[in-house]
Amino acid sequence: MDLEKHPAAPAPAPAPAAPAAAPAPAADGLRASDADRDRIAQILSDALAEGRLTAEEHSERLDVLYAVKTVGELEVLVRDLPAGAAAAAHRAAAPAPASPAAGPVESVVAVCSSSARKGRWRPGAHTRAVSVLGDITIDLTEAVFEQQVTEFNVVSVLGNVEILVPENVTLRGYGSGVLGNFEVRGEGAAADPQAPVVIVRGFALLGNIEARPKLGARLIDLADRLRKRLG
């Protein structure tokens, strides 16, 4: 019988704990996309058509919509509306799906040339206009608007871009110029409550960007047209 004592083998050292994963940023703090803004703009448009918002409230919230940066700030604008409350409840009950891709962006380009959009046409929700030593004319006085908010992103370098809208369409502008001109005339003028909203964002470098109502041009039966579309 072997009575020799052997020292016990040392116990293995416990494995170091894995570092905790950094928490994902809250959805409300994410930067807002074009698709996020379009979704909130549609909720505000529906609320205006249903009489839940006055024209003045709709205008004020739309101004804020294009000024804030995060998804959480956008959600505040519709928190007191049924669609906004329902969306918030759904996100609380289940993980939020990925944001849908932004819709197609139309392009109007003039490089040492001229380009125009006018007559009876259907502008998309987003249009990019770029003028380099060229002239661009976008005439919306006879256009068929298929969405409440139509946005133009414009860049002019040694060029000229002119955007004409009907008198009773709401026109808003956000832009600047360096040795150039960015001008939106008629901004904030009284428009029909159901009228489409045209937003012009632009930057002019040694160029000119101008958006204005065309006197005498008006869209007819805006309220009836919008109610039929929503119906």
Side-chain angles (χ1 to χ4, degrees):
M1 189 174 189
D2 187 5
L3 298 179
E4 184 179 357
K5 296 182 180 179
H6 297 281
D28 285 354
L30 294 176
R31 300 280 292 194
S33 68
D34 288 341
D36 294 325
R37 297 184 194 278
D38 289 345
R39 175 174 58 84
I40 298 300
Q42 186 60 53
I43 293 175
L44 294 176
S45 174
D46 293 344
L48 174 64
E50 294 167 359
R52 299 182 188 275
L53 292 178
T54 65
E56 183 178 356
E57 289 171 331
H58 177 263
S59 177
E60 291 174 353
R61 295 192 188 196
L62 206 60
D63 282 339
V64 177
L65 170 68
Y66 290 96
V68 299
K69 302 297 184 183
T70 67
V71 173
E73 292 172 312
L74 291 179
E75 299 296 344
V76 172
L77 299 176
V78 296
R79 190 170 292 170
D80 59 344
L81 300 174
H90 177 73
R91 286 193 302 276
S99 298
V105 178
E106 299 181 3
S107 295
V108 183
V109 179
V111 179
C112 297
S113 62
S114 62
S115 183
R117 293 287 189 276
K118 58 184 178 180
R120 194 78 169 169
W121 65 294
R122 288 175 167 80
H126 299 278
T127 298
R128 180 185 298 111
V130 179
S131 172
V132 180
L133 289 168
D135 292 307
I136 293 177
T137 300
I138 299 175
D139 190 339
L140 299 167
T141 55
E142 298 180 25
V144 178
F145 292 89
E146 296 184 334
Q147 60 278 326
Q148 177 72 14
V149 179
T150 301
E151 182 170 338
F152 293 89
N153 289 282
V154 184
V155 175
S156 176
V157 179
L158 293 168
N160 180 68
V161 179
E162 182 180 40
I163 299 175
L164 302 173
V165 303
E167 285 186 310
N168 53 341
V169 163
T170 300
L171 180 61
R172 304 189 186 284
Y174 307 90
S176 60
V178 175
L179 298 177
N181 177 60
F182 177 87
E183 182 178 7
V184 175
R185 284 188 271 164
E187 184 180 11
D192 293 351
Q194 306 294 345
V197 178
V198 174
I199 296 173
V200 179
R201 299 177 180 275
F203 174 74
L205 175 61
L206 293 168
N208 177 65
I209 299 173
E210 181 181 351
R212 59 181 175 84
K214 185 176 180 179
L215 298 180
R218 296 179 64 84
L219 293 182
I220 309 299
D221 300 328
L222 289 170
D224 291 341
R225 190 182 305 169
L226 183 59
R227 289 192 188 99
K228 289 178 182 178
R229 181 176 66 83
L230 294 176

